[in-house]
Amino acid sequence: MLAGCWCGQVVRREVPVPPASASPEEVVRAYIDALLGKDAKTVRAVMVPETDFDDELNNPIGAFRNWISASDITIDESYTSNLCPAGEKCRRMVVTMELCEVDSGSYPDGDFAQSFGVRYVKDRWLVTGFGSG
Protein backbone atom coordinates (compact mmCIF):
# COMPACT_ATOMS: atom_id res chain seq x y z
CA MET A 1 0.00 0.00 0.00
CA LEU A 2 1.18 3.52 -0.70
CA ALA A 3 1.68 5.42 2.52
CA GLY A 4 0.12 8.81 2.06
CA CYS A 5 -0.16 11.17 -0.88
CA TRP A 6 2.26 13.41 -2.65
CA CYS A 7 1.32 17.00 -3.24
CA GLY A 8 0.73 18.31 -6.72
CA GLN A 9 3.57 16.77 -8.68
CA VAL A 10 4.03 13.51 -10.49
CA VAL A 11 6.59 11.18 -8.94
CA ARG A 12 7.85 9.22 -11.96
CA ARG A 13 9.15 5.77 -11.17
CA GLU A 14 9.76 2.47 -12.87
CA VAL A 15 7.48 -0.33 -11.75
CA PRO A 16 8.68 -3.92 -12.12
CA VAL A 17 6.67 -6.08 -14.48
CA PRO A 18 5.22 -8.92 -12.39
CA PRO A 19 6.39 -12.44 -13.21
CA ALA A 20 4.23 -14.66 -15.43
CA SER A 21 3.15 -16.53 -12.28
CA ALA A 22 1.64 -13.36 -10.73
CA SER A 23 -1.94 -13.49 -9.51
CA PRO A 24 -4.65 -11.33 -11.11
CA GLU A 25 -4.52 -9.04 -8.07
CA GLU A 26 -0.72 -8.61 -8.36
CA VAL A 27 -1.04 -7.71 -12.04
CA VAL A 28 -3.72 -5.10 -11.36
CA ARG A 29 -1.58 -3.65 -8.56
CA ALA A 30 1.39 -3.33 -10.94
CA TYR A 31 -0.91 -1.65 -13.47
CA ILE A 32 -2.15 0.90 -10.91
CA ASP A 33 1.40 1.55 -9.66
CA ALA A 34 2.55 2.04 -13.27
CA LEU A 35 -0.31 4.49 -13.93
CA LEU A 36 0.63 6.52 -10.87
CA GLY A 37 4.36 6.35 -11.70
CA LYS A 38 3.81 7.25 -15.36
CA ASP A 39 5.64 4.06 -16.38
CA ALA A 40 4.34 3.49 -19.91
CA LYS A 41 6.60 0.47 -20.44
CA THR A 42 5.02 -1.46 -17.56
CA VAL A 43 1.50 -0.33 -18.47
CA ARG A 44 2.06 -1.81 -21.94
CA ALA A 45 3.57 -5.01 -20.51
CA VAL A 46 0.63 -5.79 -18.19
CA MET A 47 -2.23 -5.05 -20.61
CA VAL A 48 -3.81 -7.29 -23.24
CA PRO A 49 -2.17 -6.89 -26.66
CA GLU A 50 -5.26 -5.45 -28.36
CA THR A 51 -5.31 -2.43 -26.02
CA ASP A 52 -5.48 0.94 -27.76
CA PHE A 53 -2.25 2.19 -26.18
CA ASP A 54 -2.50 5.60 -27.82
CA ASP A 55 -5.78 6.15 -25.99
CA GLU A 56 -4.58 4.42 -22.79
CA LEU A 57 -1.47 6.62 -22.50
CA ASN A 58 -2.52 9.88 -24.17
CA ASN A 59 -6.21 10.37 -23.45
CA PRO A 60 -6.38 13.82 -21.83
CA ILE A 61 -8.95 12.63 -19.27
CA GLY A 62 -7.45 9.15 -18.74
CA ALA A 63 -5.82 7.81 -15.60
CA PHE A 64 -2.28 7.64 -17.06
CA ARG A 65 -2.25 11.36 -17.83
CA ASN A 66 -4.22 12.54 -14.80
CA TRP A 67 -3.74 10.39 -11.72
CA ILE A 68 -0.88 11.92 -9.73
CA SER A 69 -1.06 10.14 -6.39
CA ALA A 70 -3.24 7.77 -4.40
CA SER A 71 -3.26 6.13 -1.00
CA ASP A 72 -5.08 3.34 0.84
CA ILE A 73 -5.15 1.11 -2.26
CA THR A 74 -7.14 -2.07 -1.62
CA ILE A 75 -7.65 -4.82 -4.17
CA ASP A 76 -10.36 -7.33 -3.33
CA GLU A 77 -10.00 -11.01 -4.17
CA SER A 78 -10.72 -11.68 -7.84
CA TYR A 79 -13.76 -13.58 -9.03
CA THR A 80 -14.69 -15.29 -12.32
CA SER A 81 -16.01 -12.84 -14.88
CA ASN A 82 -18.83 -13.50 -17.30
CA LEU A 83 -17.55 -10.58 -19.44
CA CYS A 84 -15.13 -12.80 -21.28
CA PRO A 85 -14.65 -13.95 -24.88
CA ALA A 86 -15.77 -17.55 -25.42
CA GLY A 87 -13.13 -20.04 -24.37
CA GLU A 88 -11.04 -17.48 -22.45
CA LYS A 89 -10.34 -17.27 -18.69
CA CYS A 90 -11.19 -13.89 -17.18
CA ARG A 91 -11.39 -12.51 -13.67
CA ARG A 92 -12.57 -9.23 -12.12
CA MET A 93 -11.84 -7.54 -8.84
CA VAL A 94 -12.91 -4.36 -7.10
CA VAL A 95 -10.23 -1.79 -6.37
CA THR A 96 -10.71 1.01 -3.88
CA MET A 97 -8.35 3.89 -3.15
CA GLU A 98 -8.15 7.48 -2.16
CA LEU A 99 -7.18 9.52 -5.22
CA CYS A 100 -5.17 12.30 -3.62
CA GLU A 101 -4.22 14.27 -6.69
CA VAL A 102 -5.94 14.26 -10.04
CA ASP A 103 -4.94 16.73 -12.74
CA SER A 104 -8.25 17.68 -14.42
CA GLY A 105 -9.16 14.11 -15.30
CA SER A 106 -12.53 12.47 -15.35
CA TYR A 107 -12.17 11.29 -11.73
CA PRO A 108 -12.20 13.80 -8.88
CA ASP A 109 -9.88 13.64 -5.89
CA GLY A 110 -11.26 11.44 -3.13
CA ASP A 111 -12.79 8.00 -2.86
CA PHE A 112 -12.44 5.79 -5.93
CA ALA A 113 -13.99 2.34 -6.36
CA GLN A 114 -14.02 0.46 -9.63
CA SER A 115 -14.02 -3.04 -11.04
CA PHE A 116 -10.90 -4.07 -12.97
CA GLY A 117 -10.67 -6.99 -15.36
CA VAL A 118 -7.89 -9.38 -16.35
CA ARG A 119 -7.68 -12.12 -18.98
CA TYR A 120 -5.35 -15.12 -19.14
CA VAL A 121 -3.24 -14.62 -22.28
CA LYS A 122 -0.24 -16.77 -23.26
CA ASP A 123 0.27 -18.21 -19.77
CA ARG A 124 -0.15 -14.99 -17.76
CA TRP A 125 -2.84 -12.63 -16.48
CA LEU A 126 -3.10 -9.28 -18.31
CA VAL A 127 -5.26 -6.26 -17.56
CA THR A 128 -8.23 -5.68 -19.89
CA GLY A 129 -9.18 -2.37 -18.31
CA PHE A 130 -11.44 -1.04 -15.64
CA GLY A 131 -15.09 -0.17 -15.50
CA SER A 132 -17.31 -2.12 -17.87
CA GLY A 133 -14.40 -2.97 -20.22
Side-chain angles (χ1 to χ4, degrees):
M1 229 184 308
L2 292 174
C5 293
W6 299 281
C7 294
Q9 63 182 4
V10 173
V11 178
R12 294 186 185 277
R13 63 194 177 283
E14 289 184 20
V15 176
V17 175
S21 61
S23 70
E25 296 84 359
E26 291 169 320
V27 173
V28 167
R29 180 55 195 246
Y31 171 70
I32 292 168
D33 289 347
L35 288 175
L36 293 168
K38 308 306 177 222
D39 183 347
K41 182 179 173 186
T42 298
V43 168
R44 286 177 182 274
V46 299
M47 294 197 74
V48 293
E50 66 271 14
T51 299
D52 179 348
F53 288 106
D54 182 54
D55 186 54
E56 184 74 22
L57 302 173
N58 298 311
N59 187 325
I61 62 168
F64 186 82
R65 295 267 313 264
N66 288 288
W67 290 5
I68 296 171
S69 67
S71 67
D72 300 325
I73 299 171
T74 302
I75 300 173
D76 290 349
E77 187 175 333
S78 66
Y79 55 90
T80 301
S81 173
N82 58 1
L83 301 173
C84 195
E88 300 282 340
K89 290 192 329 186
C90 299
R91 305 211 38 100
R92 292 197 76 73
M93 66 220 68
V94 174
V95 175
T96 58
M97 67 180 91
E98 179 78 14
L99 283 171
C100 303
E101 284 288 329
V102 176
D103 183 25
S104 69
S106 60
Y107 300 97
D109 293 354
D111 293 337
F112 171 90
Q114 190 68 259
S115 175
F116 283 70
V118 293
R119 189 170 80 222
Y120 202 69
V121 179
K122 296 183 181 175
D123 299 325
R124 71 179 312 132
W125 291 104
L126 295 174
V127 174
T128 59
F130 59 92
S132 60

